[in-house]
Amino acid sequence: MKLTLWTYEGPPHVGAMRVATGMKGLHYVLHAPQGDTYADLLFTMIERRDHRPPVTYTTFQARDLGGDTATLFKTACQDAVDRFAPEAIIVGASCTAELIQDNPAGLAGSMNLGLPVIPLDLPSYQRKEGFGTDETFLQIVRHLAQPCARTEQITANLIGPTALGFRHRDDITELTRLLAEMGVGVNVVGPMGSRPSDIARLGAAHFNVLMYPEHAESAARWLETNFKQPYTKTVPIGVGATRDFLAEVAKITGLPVKTDTTRLRLPWWTRSVDSTYLTGKRVFIFGDGTHVAAAARIAREEMGFEVAGLGCFNREMARPIRALAKDYGVEALISDDYLEVEATIAALQPEMILGTQMERHIGKRLGIPCAVISAPVHVQDFPARYSPQMGWEGANVIFDTWVHPLVMGLEEHLLHMFRDDFEFHDDAGASHHGGAHKPRDVVAEAAPAAADVAGSMPDAGASLGDSVPVVQPSGQIVWLSDAEAELKKIPFFVRGKARRNTENYAQTKGVTAISVETLYEAKAYYAR
Amino acid sequence: MNAPAPALGCTNTPVLKERGQREVFCGLTGIIWLHRKMQDAFFLVVGSRTCAHLLQSAAGVMIFAEPRFGTAILEEKDLAGLADAQTELDREVDRLLSRRPDIRQLFLVGSCPSEVIKLDLHRAAERMSVKHAPHVRVLNYSGSGIETTFTQGEDACLASMVPTLSATAEKELLLVGALPDVVEDQAMGLLAALGITKVRCLPARRSADTLAIGPNTVFALLQPFLGDTHAALTRRGARHIPAPFPFGAEGTTLWLQAIATEFGVDPALFAKVTAAPRARAEKAIAASAQTLSGKSIFFFPDSQLEIPLARFLTRECGMTAVEVGTPFLHRDLLSPDLALLAHGPTISEGQDVDKQLTRARAARADLTVCGLGLANPLEAEGMATKWAIELVFTPVHFYEQAGDLAALFARPLRRRALLAPLAPRIEAAE
Ligand code: SF4
């Protein structure tokens, strides 16, 4: 048993739903109680989908349990096939149905439904969402892909994008364009956008582009073994990775690298003088393994940041992320425990977080700016505009996204110059952000829960906060008034850090009253 | 005064009972608002990753701090032997309580997996209550999807508290149902103005606010889904004051009237106290009724608020109900509302979602009230929708919120009118 407050990943059947919902002409019959239908709203609300996910839930109840839940499942299968006329169905159990052991695979298999029935075995009490997407896509490929002749033109399959993916929609477009510039066509994109009949002809491509190892590495390996299709190992997120990816494609296909970089702006934007202020910004990177690895490389090589720490929530990627961390001289945090991630960030005190929506909230609490680089997703991660992560346009998008939460370069100096001007004072935020940006003290935090998707009860409980001391409360150490006044002169966006650093310094030195002297000694001590 | 009850209400309307795929939340969802209401309570779901994910998705993943709810996720090894699971649970609870000294009440909330493996949470709660007394009281209830639908979770939670209430012989009024504090305060204010001051609320905001109950307790329900709590209170000798639920100007007046009658309040005083807020409510409703009047409405089953809301929307906002779906129909509690709802709409109980979608598409009501899983798909088919979940998360009871309640239904229609110049079929996300 493990206490969980927030989770990075849903159960594995939600992974299967992501695959099914990304596809067309496929239906998922899921043996599950009524409450599990909540998962539909992930797709219809967060991703703003205009169709219900193609899932039939059996929604058995307590009174069915003594009786015949197996018949309930078979009826649901037959109804789904009759009503939705899919080309194939996937069948499986959610956590509760796993316990009642009705064997959906056997039941559906015995029914002569007249279409391919793909059983899923997703152990709910051991694995999570990422395993669910990868395993589901593997099973679909194994059951449906047929040996076939290669296309005349050199083509690739783009594999890995799913429903509810972080910018998958736009990455497909960007990659298709990159490949087209090299003269490589796209055979099938899947799971997103494909039908079972498309999966059948995966074998016609010359190779596979593995877009997201989290969701399709098993399928890529299977296709390599069975159809002799090589697959690309570089995920083209960032300028360097995109170049490497193109080189990899060239090696696989024997075609020369041809690409149009006129639309690539990141290299100049990051070199232009306004970006000087980005130098050595200490960033903490957390998310799924693939996006973290890409972000670490961009952070160090393309933005000039210092990677203060990194990690991922998906255990499947623990090994490569540990190796990567070693290369960066930091320790990898492999954890899906939100509190542990928060404690790590609080201890490292980075100047910026590159993380998920969870870290965005941690950042809010700690007063650290955060840019989102990875799933789990939120409605904000599905912007109306074209905003890929991959390829040249992806690099541009990443530059803008990462810089946005920071105070602009020139602005930072102006804030220094006019720090006593009322407009720049204390609560004045970065000028390009609407509201005042107020880094808040973690200990004093008493934030009301705001339920974005669902609304909230604004009045109940707003007064009593759910607060957890993450950093040490500054109880024992006192600030002398002149030191306090001096601290106020430090621009707000670094003030919290200065306060914490000074207190930590005072503590290690056994100083109990902080003077202006202590403040500057601490500053010198922490100076890089 | 109030409009007369219709000659033919829905009291005897045959109910369409459906049994098929349901598209509703389970009772765990109630934790989202219950934990905000009970400020020293923690809700520990004993369940699976699915349960944790449900709570997170329903809460919108947007709660900043460490929340006062969590899930003890069962793992493979817990499923192997039950004795083991109890020990594991003890360990997790010890750890939680030592980290959160602010917790005074702990609810162990059962889920489908814990029910299926027959993990005895009642025994666990008793054991832990002894161990952590007097600082923490531990209770248990089930919010599982195989036994409870959405708001039934609150019912199960409140019912679990009833046996622990101390006894009293005083004549007191108990208000039952978790409302936002501001709304609760308004109700208390109105009752105080009527001279009714011995009033308590279940749930209390804090466990220290002691509640007592006995044969002279009378209680009024604030929500229509509290059937089990009603039964538990009745078992303790308390008596229910039947009334329509306090939605809208009329509903609020009738609800107050029933209590006033019980307490022998002078009619002149009643009229004096209610006149001004009632007029305010009617004025506020009128603003939205302009949009709503003459429009048809179709309810998918969700929170059990559907029948009182249909009563409000048809009688005070001029709408016509086509179908009023509810997950469960508690006739005892809803008969005053059913009597006021004019005969006409289909009253359905339970769900077979695909069949109901077929009916909803055929009806093409001007407004369809449904869950979040159905709203965008129906909008994409050109139908205006209102998400039902907002009705339990937003303050909507009593006079001062009556206008807001009407506005919640009017907004999707107003928005549609505003956006009419855009193409009717807008590309949705892939
Ligand atoms: S329906 Fe059951 S398994 Fe699903 S979230 Fe609710 S309690 Fe958990």
Side-chain angles (χ1 to χ4, degrees):
Chain A
M1 214 173 273
K2 188 168 185 288
L3 180 65
T4 303
L5 301 169
W6 298 121
T7 70
Y8 287 88
E9 289 181 88
H13 73 257
V14 167
M17 281 186 74
R18 290 178 57 182
V19 171
T21 307
M23 289 181 66
K24 295 182 165 66
L26 181 83
H27 201 85
Y28 186 11
V29 182
L30 178 63
H31 207 17
Q34 59 180 358
D36 291 3
T37 60
Y38 79 88
D40 283 358
L41 79 85
L42 302 172
F43 300 92
T44 58
M45 295 303 291
I46 296 179
E47 205 173 6
R48 301 175 202 262
R49 281 191 176 260
D50 62 352
H51 278 83
R52 293 168 66 203
V55 183
T56 294
Y57 305 83
T58 57
T59 60
F60 54 84
Q61 297 179 357
R63 60 168 182 237
D64 303 319
L65 287 183
D68 198 358
T69 47
T71 303
L72 198 65
F73 179 82
K74 285 163 90 171
T75 311
C77 269
Q78 190 64 56
D79 286 354
V81 169
D82 295 346
R83 189 181 294 272
F84 300 105
E87 292 174 22
I89 60 172
I90 52 178
V91 299
S94 79
C95 52
T96 309
E98 191 180 326
L99 297 172
I100 59 178
Q101 300 184 328
D102 275 337
N103 183 16
L107 291 172
S110 69
M111 285 178 68
N112 290 321
L113 290 165
L115 45 69
V117 174
I118 304 166
L120 299 177
D121 183 14
L122 305 174
S124 307
Y125 297 91
Q126 294 166 25
R127 309 303 296 264
K128 298 176 200 158
E129 183 178 332
F131 172 82
T133 52
D134 185 74
E135 174 66 17
T136 302
F137 190 52
L138 171 66
Q139 293 309 329
I140 290 171
V141 169
R142 286 178 61 147
H143 279 81
L144 300 179
Q146 302 294 329
C148 45
R150 299 278 197 255
T151 54
E152 217 163 288
Q153 187 204 0
I154 295 183
T155 56
N157 300 313
L158 306 186
I159 61 173
T162 66
L164 269 191
F166 187 74
R167 309 293 169 84
H168 292 190
R169 171 195 76 188
D170 297 339
D171 283 348
I172 293 171
T173 310
E174 188 66 18
L175 267 189
T176 303
R177 180 167 175 184
L178 280 180
L179 291 172
E181 285 170 2
M182 283 197 56
V184 176
V186 170
N187 180 50
V188 173
V189 180
M192 184 124 111
S194 60
R195 309 184 69 85
S197 49
D198 297 321
I199 300 297
R201 53 186 187 82
L202 278 176
H206 295 242
F207 68 107
N208 289 308
V209 171
L210 175 56
M211 294 175 67
Y212 312 101
E214 270 81 0
H215 308 312
E217 184 155 3
S218 299
R221 287 179 194 279
W222 189 90
L223 290 165
E224 183 178 48
T225 309
N226 291 277
F227 292 166
K228 305 283 171 286
Q229 287 171 321
Y231 67 91
T232 53
K233 310 290 190 302
T234 316
V235 176
I237 300 179
V239 179
T242 300
R243 288 195 200 289
D244 291 354
F245 168 80
L246 293 174
E248 212 184 333
V249 171
K251 202 162 154 226
I252 290 172
T253 58
L255 296 167
V257 171
K258 265 200 269 167
T259 188
D260 173 12
T261 53
T262 50
R263 66 186 195 275
L264 173 64
R265 301 198 181 86
L266 180 142
W268 171 244
W269 256 241
T270 194
R271 187 162 310 137
S272 66
V273 292
D274 186 79
S275 295
T276 311
Y277 75 104
L278 298 175
T279 312
K281 283 251 185 242
R282 298 175 67 249
V283 294
F284 178 79
I285 309 175
F286 197 82
D288 69 43
T290 295
H291 285 87
V292 164
R297 180 171 177 185
I298 299 168
R300 183 165 69 180
E301 296 172 14
E302 297 167 25
M303 300 294 273
F305 290 161
E306 178 191 332
V307 176
L310 57 81
C312 69
F313 58 75
N314 48 341
R315 215 152 268 289
E316 291 86 354
M317 292 290 274
R319 205 187 299 168
I321 291 300
R322 284 215 175 87
L324 183 80
K326 208 171 208 181
D327 175 34
Y328 281 72
V330 295
E331 205 168 323
L333 174 65
I334 313 294
S335 173
D336 65 349
D337 182 344
Y338 168 84
L339 292 178
E340 195 180 350
V341 177
E342 180 164 40
T344 305
I345 293 173
L348 285 173
Q349 296 183 14
E351 288 162 277
M352 184 184 191
I353 306 166
L354 303 171
T356 72
Q357 290 293 337
M358 308 274 231
E359 284 68 45
R360 199 165 64 83
H361 285 99
I362 294 173
K364 262 192 201 164
R365 277 164 50 68
L366 300 177
I368 302 172
C370 177
V372 175
I373 61 157
S374 155
V377 289
H378 178 262
V379 66
Q380 288 177 346
D381 297 320
F382 293 91
R385 65 181 184 278
Y386 179 57
S387 36
Q389 298 289 288
M390 291 185 174
W392 306 137
E393 186 57 23
N396 299 337
V397 168
I398 286 171
F399 179 88
D400 287 350
T401 312
W402 292 13
V403 164
H404 180 83
L406 298 169
V407 177
M408 300 294 179
L410 193 53
E411 196 167 60
E412 183 168 325
H413 297 294
L414 289 173
L415 279 166
H416 268 294
M417 283 165 69
F418 297 111
R419 62 193 172 193
D420 288 324
D421 185 299
F422 72 96
E423 283 225 56
F424 289 97
H425 221 264
D426 281 28
D427 294 340
S431 63
H432 59 299
H433 294 178
H437 165 87
K438 289 188 201 171
R440 286 169 298 187
D441 191 351
V442 179
V443 182
E445 176 84 350
D452 262 14
V453 168
S456 64
M457 283 177 104
D459 301 289
S463 55
L464 186 99
D466 301 301
S467 69
V468 56
V470 177
V471 297
Q472 227 166 356
S474 37
Q476 270 69 329
I477 302 168
V478 294
W479 284 75
L480 299 174
S481 57
D482 55 341
E484 188 79 49
E486 194 70 18
L487 185 70
K488 287 235 172 76
K489 294 182 197 160
I490 297 173
F492 68 85
F493 50 88
V494 287
R495 192 182 304 144
K497 190 170 100 174
R499 179 186 285 278
R500 285 190 293 266
N501 279 352
T502 309
E503 288 173 3
N504 285 344
Y505 175 80
Q507 201 165 36
T508 51
K509 297 285 163 191
V511 176
T512 51
I514 293 172
S515 62
V516 177
E517 198 88 329
T518 326
L519 180 68
Y520 284 107
E521 275 169 14
K523 182 168 188 276
Y525 178 82
Y526 285 103
R528 294 189 298 277
Chain B
M1 265 325 285
N2 300 314
L8 192 54
C10 288
T11 309
N12 296 315
T13 302
V15 172
L16 172 63
K17 297 210 183 207
E18 291 276 44
R19 173 93 181 81
Q21 185 190 324
R22 294 171 147 236
E23 178 84 18
V24 283
F25 287 127
C26 61
L28 295 185
T29 322
I31 292 172
I32 305 299
W33 64 88
L34 287 169
H35 91 282
R36 308 293 315 282
K37 178 71 191 176
M38 292 186 245
Q39 303 185 352
D40 53 6
F42 193 98
F43 292 81
L44 182 63
V45 176
V46 182
S48 63
R49 178 162 297 280
T50 314
C51 308
H53 200 234
L54 159 93
L55 284 175
Q56 176 162 332
S57 309
V61 208
M62 296 304 283
I63 295 182
F64 296 94
E66 184 176 346
R68 283 191 311 278
F69 59 81
T71 309
I73 295 186
L74 293 161
E75 293 166 314
E76 202 74 348
K77 61 180 190 298
D78 302 306
L79 302 174
L82 290 187
D84 192 17
Q86 293 277 2
T87 323
E88 295 264 309
L89 189 56
D90 281 334
R91 191 198 58 216
E92 289 303 329
V93 166
D94 287 350
R95 204 183 279 169
L96 172 74
L97 293 178
S98 66
R99 212 173 35 143
R100 300 289 304 264
D102 53 318
I103 302 300
R104 304 298 307 273
Q105 307 180 70
L106 175 67
F107 289 93
L108 301 179
V109 188
S111 66
C112 304
S114 78
E115 300 289 332
V116 170
I117 64 167
K118 302 202 164 28
L119 185 57
D120 190 344
L121 294 182
H122 188 68
R123 189 158 63 91
E126 282 178 348
R127 182 178 66 236
M128 292 176 191
S129 270
V130 172
K131 182 170 177 186
H132 298 284
H135 188 70
V136 185
R137 192 177 62 186
V138 185
L139 294 175
N140 76 288
Y141 71 90
S142 172
S144 83
I146 54 177
E147 288 159 318
T148 61
T149 300
F150 194 29
T151 48
Q152 280 183 300
E154 176 176 332
D155 188 25
C157 174
L158 300 192
S160 79
M161 299 169 80
V162 173
T164 69
L165 304 181
S166 50
T168 178
E170 295 235 19
K171 167 105 180 178
E172 288 186 337
L173 173 64
L174 185 67
L175 302 185
V176 188
L179 295 192
D181 292 352
V182 60
V183 181
E184 196 175 281
D185 291 342
Q186 286 171 14
M188 301 294 257
L190 283 165
L191 291 167
L194 293 172
I196 304 166
T197 49
K198 288 201 165 162
V199 188
R200 303 180 196 249
C201 299
L202 177 72
R205 296 175 197 185
R206 297 181 162 276
S207 62
D209 307 345
T210 50
L211 284 177
I213 186 174
N216 295 317
T217 306
V218 287
F219 66 93
L221 297 180
L222 294 163
Q223 300 281 25
F225 45 75
L226 298 171
D228 285 356
T229 310
H230 173 278
L233 289 166
T234 310
R235 276 197 296 277
R236 293 276 316 254
R239 185 163 47 80
H240 177 218
I241 305 172
F245 287 89
F247 298 110
E250 182 189 48
T252 304
T253 306
L254 292 173
W255 186 87
L256 286 169
Q257 180 69 66
I259 296 171
T261 305
E262 169 68 32
F263 282 82
V265 175
D266 173 23
L269 176 65
F270 185 84
K272 189 171 145 234
V273 167
T274 53
R278 183 176 179 174
R280 265 202 305 277
E282 282 166 354
K283 195 169 160 220
I285 293 168
S288 293
Q290 282 184 352
T291 309
L292 295 173
S293 185
K295 302 282 192 332
S296 58
I297 189 160
F298 187 111
F299 283 91
F300 277 76
D302 196 70
S303 60
Q304 296 187 42
L305 297 182
E306 296 82 6
I307 285 172
L309 290 178
R311 184 260 299 153
F312 164 67
L313 292 166
T314 52
R315 288 175 66 84
E316 297 188 53
C317 303
M319 297 189 86
T320 318
V322 181
E323 174 164 342
V324 186
T326 181
F328 286 98
L329 188 60
H330 284 292
R331 273 196 185 275
D332 307 350
L333 308 188
L334 285 166
S335 54
D337 281 284
L338 280 171
L340 289 175
L341 180 60
H343 177 77
T346 303
I347 308 277
S348 60
E349 181 184 21
Q351 191 171 32
D352 185 325
V353 67
D354 286 305
K355 283 191 195 151
Q356 195 169 25
L357 278 166
T358 305
R359 292 200 298 276
R361 288 179 180 124
R364 280 193 90 79
D366 295 309
L367 189 62
T368 303
V369 184
C370 60
L372 294 171
L374 298 177
N376 266 336
L378 288 177
E379 289 278 351
E381 293 178 27
M383 294 161 70
T385 62
K386 167 82 220 89
W387 328 336
I389 195 170
E390 210 174 352
L391 301 165
V392 292
F393 283 167
T394 313
V396 293
H397 289 68
F398 295 111
Y399 291 128
E400 312 303 346
Q401 283 67 238
D404 302 341
L405 178 59
L408 280 181
F409 291 92
R411 196 177 302 132
L413 297 176
R414 281 184 28 233
R415 184 158 184 79
R416 262 178 112 67
L418 285 169
L419 301 182
L422 283 183
R425 179 70 176 78
I426 300 156
E427 274 314 302
E430 176 58 47

